[in-house]
Amino acid sequence: MNDQELQSLVEKISQESFAKPFKHRAYFNSRLRTTGGRYHVASHDIDINPKMLTEHSMEILVGVIKHELCHYHLHLAGYSGKHNTLAFKRLLKTVGGSRFAPAPVDKRPLKYVCTHCGQTYRRKRRIDTHKYVCGKCRGKLKLDTGDD
């Protein structure tokens, strides 16, 4: 999916779910790391994390788009588009948007397993398996990809 297809998808979702047109720009922003999307108050544009589509399903992407459109339509109507307002929570529930975006795959904890004793270690960052060994038996560590 490219930016033009995303633009038409956002316009379609806005018309179907909110019964209001989306008159601004929607695009993918690969620099987004910890969020599913972002609404720009000054320009009224919406940018979406492309990992919401590549690492997750189309339903997740639609949920994130609905979330950002809630910010968009509330702000244009003169209301606060903040997450903690009652108007935002009601509108989000009405249209069926997602409250939170799922964590990107690269932000999930890594799991290392000792090849000798089977001890598991969970880490946020990668470790050098040539430098570090198991603290229990001093065996070699292996990154567990979960593909078994």
Side-chain angles (χ1 to χ4, degrees):
M1 177 180 284
N2 58 21
D3 287 348
Q4 292 172 340
E5 293 170 337
L6 177 68
Q7 177 75 31
S8 63
L9 179 64
V10 170
E11 290 171 359
K12 179 183 165 207
I13 292 171
S14 179
Q15 200 60 259
E16 290 175 355
S17 297
F18 297 87
K20 295 178 183 177
F22 177 72
K23 298 178 181 176
H24 294 85
R25 205 172 126 225
Y27 54 93
F28 285 113
N29 184 352
S30 60
R31 290 178 288 141
L32 294 178
R33 297 279 181 216
T34 60
T35 184
R38 185 170 54 187
Y39 166 65
H40 297 274
V41 175
S43 64
H44 307 295
D45 293 341
I46 292 176
D47 51 347
I48 302 291
N49 187 342
K51 290 183 179 181
M52 292 300 114
L53 182 62
T54 58
E55 293 180 0
H56 303 289
S57 65
M58 188 65 161
E59 292 84 31
I60 298 293
L61 177 67
V62 170
V64 169
I65 290 171
K66 286 180 179 180
H67 179 102
E68 299 308 323
L69 282 172
C70 285
H71 289 297
Y72 173 81
H73 289 297
L74 284 173
H75 181 255
L76 290 182
Y79 297 101
S80 173
K82 293 185 178 181
H83 292 108
N84 61 349
T85 62
L86 191 60
F88 181 83
K89 290 178 183 177
R90 282 184 181 159
L91 183 60
L92 189 65
K93 189 174 183 179
T94 303
V95 298
S98 58
R99 182 92 167 101
F100 303 103
V105 173
D106 58 351
K107 291 292 180 187
R108 294 185 184 144
L110 299 168
K111 183 178 172 186
Y112 290 91
V113 178
C114 175
T115 57
H116 187 260
C117 69
Q119 175 73 27
T120 61
Y121 300 92
R122 295 195 184 276
R123 296 289 180 264
K124 289 184 179 179
R125 294 184 179 178
R126 287 187 166 269
I127 62 170
D128 183 5
T129 55
H130 298 294
K131 184 177 178 182
Y132 295 98
V133 294
C134 176
K136 189 175 178 183
C137 71
R138 315 230 1 117
K140 290 188 88 159
L141 295 177
K142 180 184 172 209
L143 179 63
D144 183 20
T145 57
D147 294 336
D148 297 334

